[in-house]
Amino acid sequence: MSGGWPTDVLFWAFSAMAVISAILVFVTDSMVRAAYWLMASFVAVGAILVTLNAQFLGLILILMMAGEMTIMAIFMVMFMMNPAGLNPMLMVHQHRTAILSGVGSFLALATVGLFAEFPDRPAAIVGPAIVPLGQELLGTSMLVFESAGVALLAVMIGAIALVSHRGRYGDAEQGSEEPPLEVETSQ
């Protein structure tokens, strides 16, 4: 990092925020809260990229994850029919498999990070890449991005309209509760 101690402090603060909010994704009992904690974690990672002088990647990550997590939360609420997505529910399934997968993935990535030889050749800078990219995004591809944005907005409004009145377990305004689990026993 080249920004001095303030950049170092911001880097570590965003790193801590990313880790803490990622842990909260698995601790919370609401799917909407989990989606927004995940978004907070991605925003922190985007801010880390900004502190590492990769502003474009950081801002794109923040914009993409903010939109994606919002859409994901709306679709989760729509398909789970959980009013507002705030009812308590078990967010982690198959604990043993999840823990083994997470530890195995971490060890595999850590092994690659420690023992792989990464290229140490800086890429040649041809010219500013942001200007051509901005011209492409706001030029000929503008209609595509605007159309996709309007379509996503319409889908989000429709999803909210569909799930706002009645949830999976009853009317949202009367307070819905998940029915007890009934297990059939053979006698």
Side-chain angles (χ1 to χ4, degrees):
M1 290 175 277
S2 61
W5 68 267
T7 305
D8 293 345
V9 169
L10 286 175
F11 175 84
W12 288 110
F14 290 130
S15 299
M17 178 182 160
V19 171
I20 290 170
S21 55
I23 291 170
L24 289 173
V25 169
F26 297 99
V27 174
T28 188
D29 61 352
S30 162
M31 59 184 157
V32 170
R33 289 187 182 106
Y36 284 109
W37 279 122
L38 185 59
M39 184 180 77
S41 180
F42 282 124
V43 167
V45 171
I48 289 170
L49 289 174
V50 171
T51 62
L52 293 175
N53 207 18
Q55 293 89 356
F56 180 75
L57 288 177
L59 293 177
I60 287 294
L61 180 69
I62 290 170
L63 290 174
M64 285 177 50
M65 289 302 122
E68 184 177 321
M69 291 302 122
T70 301
I71 293 170
M72 185 176 82
I74 290 172
F75 275 92
M76 283 191 305
V77 170
M78 185 174 71
F79 287 118
M80 295 297 290
M81 301 302 284
N82 183 347
L86 297 174
N87 284 355
M89 62 184 297
L90 187 61
M91 296 299 294
V92 180
H93 305 283
Q94 301 178 351
H95 291 177
R96 191 171 299 163
T97 303
I99 291 171
L100 289 175
S101 300
V103 170
S105 300
F106 174 77
L107 290 176
L109 291 173
T111 301
V112 169
L114 289 176
F115 297 110
E117 291 188 25
F118 295 103
D120 193 20
R121 292 175 295 162
I125 299 174
V126 178
I130 294 178
V131 172
L133 183 61
Q135 289 173 343
E136 176 65 28
L137 291 176
L138 299 176
T140 56
S141 302
M142 184 69 170
L143 180 63
V144 174
F145 286 108
E146 289 296 324
S147 301
V150 171
L152 287 174
L153 179 64
V155 167
M156 286 190 286
I157 292 171
I160 291 170
L162 286 174
V163 301
S164 63
H165 292 295
R166 179 163 173 77
R168 181 178 184 182
Y169 305 118
D171 193 348
E173 295 179 5
Q174 296 177 356
S176 61
E177 293 182 12
E178 185 176 354
L181 181 63
E182 296 178 15
V183 178
E184 293 184 23
T185 57
S186 60
Q187 296 180 1

